[in-house]
Amino acid sequence: MASSLKNLSDYNSTNLIDVSNKRFAVVVSEWNEEVTESLYSGAYQTLLQHGVKAEHILRKQVPGSFELTLGAQWCAQQKEIDAVICLGCVIQGETRHFDFICDAVAQGITQVNLTYNKPVIFGVLTTQTQQQALDRAGGKHGNKGDEAAITAIKMLGF
Ligand code: DLZ
């Protein structure tokens, strides 16, 4: 379903496991900072609302979405981290950079999931315009950061 047809923040929060002792790393890309800060805020608040302790949330910054994979790997290899959430925003420009970055980060994050056998969540917006990104980062289509946090919690309960 297209995300424009679904409020990304609609989720069923019943039957989620107790995550009060789980530790999360959140890797945030600095590109399109207005968007990624909103994604972070959504993810952070959602983790707290579900009982995660603030001191169990490790925030790490990377320059751009392309660097999310390595940042995620550095976090995932830490034994005490239970799940990693990657947050980024890639906006279509005039060159093919968009395609290369989106492909690289999607494949890279998949690889980190499988290598470390831990949930590594793809919270990366890939949009045509900044407005479409803002709509999905606390705007009319919800906040993909919330959804990324819930996805991490759901995967820990698998
Ligand atoms: C270079 C670049 C461009 C053009 N666009 C974006 C973007 O929309 N979103 C994003 O997160 N990063 C972008 N980057 C930066 C790359 O992700 C990366 O940081 C650089 O290519 C250096 O490796």
Side-chain angles (χ1 to χ4, degrees), residues 29-32 63-67 88-92 95 97-98 101:
S29 164
E30 289 168 2
W31 261 76
N32 301 311
S65 292
F66 186 82
E67 285 73 37
C89 171
V90 194
I91 299 176
Q92 177 92 63
T95 69
H97 234 96
F98 177 86
I101 295 171

Side-chain angles (χ1 to χ4, degrees), residues 24-153:
F24 296 79
V26 187
V27 188
V28 186
S29 164
E30 289 168 2
W31 261 76
N32 301 311
E33 195 175 24
E34 186 185 356
V35 174
T36 59
E37 282 303 318
S38 290
L39 294 176
Y40 178 75
S41 167
Y44 182 76
Q45 292 303 329
T46 300
L47 291 175
L48 293 183
Q49 280 162 19
H50 288 84
V52 180
K53 297 181 181 75
E55 62 269 29
H56 288 179
I57 303 172
L58 171 70
R59 177 183 168 141
K60 299 297 283 185
Q61 203 85 1
V62 291
S65 292
F66 186 82
E67 285 73 37
L68 284 170
T69 300
L70 185 56
Q73 176 167 297
W74 286 337
C75 292
Q77 68 191 14
Q78 295 181 35
K79 286 200 167 44
E80 64 274 18
I81 296 291
D82 296 294
V84 181
I85 298 168
C86 298
L87 300 176
C89 171
V90 194
I91 299 176
Q92 177 92 63
E94 291 180 352
T95 69
R96 292 194 59 212
H97 234 96
F98 177 86
D99 301 314
F100 291 124
I101 295 171
C102 294
D103 285 351
V105 70
Q107 288 180 24
I109 289 176
T110 303
Q111 198 179 317
V112 182
N113 271 279
L114 302 179
T115 302
Y116 290 93
N117 213 26
K118 293 179 183 182
V120 181
I121 308 304
F122 183 81
V124 181
L125 293 175
T126 59
T127 60
Q128 303 287 325
T129 66
Q130 186 185 29
Q131 188 57 53
Q132 288 172 339
L134 290 168
D135 289 345
R136 291 157 178 80
K140 66 180 178 186
H141 294 311
N143 191 326
K144 177 94 175 163
D146 300 8
E147 190 192 80
I150 291 295
T151 304
I153 294 170

